[in-house]
């Protein structure tokens, strides 16, 4: 007669190899980002423990996410369990970095002295997530006389962006003014009549100092501007 003595077979959990747990720490891109877990055995349960925006410590099977820089740093403890494997825990962080962007004032902006309407100031923006826009204003140094004036970029609130700015210049060009000697005549031997000329192109109450001279039987005009705002012809 054969007898058997029962024994015990113990199956111990295996090491969980190939597990990858990744947080997020890249620049803002307008999308929500959470913890990425891969390589866990089939049938595993993944839980996430973190402190929510209300200051409460929560554990859930749904990863927390961040989208904006204002979301701050979310520290997450990731736990992966499986009846046949040793439990694995990993600590990761979720944080959105500011995205680099730039605002550059466009070149060749300006007007001619005396123009009734000043053109709108413009700039080129790069690095912004479509279809978002940056909060900023453009202004220029005060002045209406001919010359160059600085165009300044002033930033508003743009919490998701790290913005570099490049100022530019606004040019007020001198206005062309013409002075034309009036045609006159006189009788031979008579005194010269008053010499006159017609000025065209002056702005508002501006005035031009000029003289009209006659040389060798012809009329010649010599003109000098009273300001730097005009080009005399």
């Amino acid at each position: 007669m054969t007898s058997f003595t029962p024994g015990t077979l113990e199956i111990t959990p295996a090491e969980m190899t190939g597990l990858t747990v990744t947080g997020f720490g890249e620049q803002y891109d307008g999308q929500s980002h959470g913890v990425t877990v891969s390589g866990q055995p089939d049938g595993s349960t993944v839980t996430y423990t973190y402190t929510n925006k209300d200051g409460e410590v929560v554990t859930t099977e749904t990863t927390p996410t961040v989208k904006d820089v204002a979301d701050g740093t979310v520290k997450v403890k990731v736990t992966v369990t499986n009846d046949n494997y040793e439990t694995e825990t990993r600590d990761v962080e979720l944080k959105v970095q500011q995205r680099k962007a730039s605002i550059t004032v466009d070149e060749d902006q300006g007007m001619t002295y005396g123009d009734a309407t000043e053109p709108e100031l413009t700039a080129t923006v790069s690095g912004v997530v479509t279809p978002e826009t940056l909060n900023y204003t453009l202004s220029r140094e005060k002045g209406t006389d001919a010359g160059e004036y600085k165009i300044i970029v002033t930033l508003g609130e743009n919490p998701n962006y790290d913005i570099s700015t490049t100022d530019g210049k606004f040019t007020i060009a001198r206005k062309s003014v013409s002075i034309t000697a009036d045609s006159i005549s006189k009788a031979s031997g008579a005194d010269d009549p008053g010499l006159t000329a017609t000025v065209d192109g002056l702005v508002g109450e501006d005035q031009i100092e000029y003289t009209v001279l006659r040389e060798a039987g012809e009329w010649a005009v010599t003109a000098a501007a009273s300001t730097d705002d005009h080009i005399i012809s």
Side-chain angles (χ1 to χ4, degrees):
M1 179 176 182
T2 303
S3 62
F4 298 90
T5 301
T8 301
L9 175 63
E10 181 180 1
I11 301 176
T12 59
E15 182 180 356
M16 193 179 296
T17 60
L19 178 67
T20 301
V21 180
T22 306
F24 183 81
E26 303 299 321
Q27 289 187 15
Y28 170 79
D29 62 3
Q31 305 297 317
S32 294
H33 296 273
V35 178
T36 301
V37 180
S38 61
Q40 68 271 35
D42 292 340
S44 298
T45 299
V46 181
T47 58
Y48 307 87
T49 302
Y50 63 98
T51 303
N52 64 19
K53 293 181 178 180
D54 296 324
E56 302 169 336
V57 177
V58 296
T59 298
T60 175
E61 293 185 12
T62 302
T63 176
T65 60
V66 292
K67 179 181 178 182
D68 301 308
V69 172
D71 292 334
T73 301
V74 179
K75 297 182 178 181
V76 186
K77 179 180 289 295
V78 181
T79 303
V80 183
T81 58
N82 188 299
D83 290 341
N84 295 318
Y85 293 87
E86 295 177 353
T87 298
E88 289 285 335
T89 60
R90 305 286 173 85
D91 293 316
V92 295
E93 292 184 352
L94 301 174
K95 180 178 176 63
V96 177
Q97 307 290 341
Q98 284 188 318
R99 185 181 186 87
K100 293 187 179 300
S102 66
I103 303 173
T104 303
V105 173
D106 295 331
E107 298 181 353
D108 300 324
Q109 298 192 67
M111 58 187 286
T112 299
Y113 171 76
D115 284 355
T117 303
E118 185 166 321
E120 182 180 358
L121 303 176
T122 61
T124 299
V125 177
S126 62
V128 177
V129 175
T130 304
E132 296 181 4
T133 58
L134 295 181
N135 182 14
Y136 71 97
T137 58
L138 298 175
S139 60
R140 73 170 181 88
E141 294 176 319
K142 294 181 178 180
T144 57
D145 292 334
E148 291 187 352
Y149 300 87
K150 187 176 182 180
I151 300 176
I152 302 167
V153 181
T154 302
L155 295 176
E157 292 294 326
N158 300 279
N160 287 322
Y161 293 90
D162 176 15
I163 305 169
S164 62
T165 63
T166 303
D167 295 335
K169 66 180 180 179
F170 186 90
T171 302
I172 299 181
R174 297 169 67 196
K175 182 176 178 61
S176 294
V177 174
S178 64
I179 303 175
T180 304
D182 297 327
S183 297
I184 59 176
S185 62
K186 70 169 187 172
S188 178
D191 293 337
D192 282 351
L195 305 181
T196 60
T198 299
V199 179
D200 183 57
L202 287 179
V203 175
E205 300 298 322
D206 287 353
Q207 296 182 352
I208 293 291
E209 295 180 359
Y210 65 93
T211 58
V212 182
L213 304 175
R214 182 170 76 87
E215 298 178 0
E218 299 180 357
W219 304 111
V221 178
T222 301
S226 58
T227 72
D228 294 328
D229 297 322
H230 308 90
I231 300 174
I232 308 301
S233 62

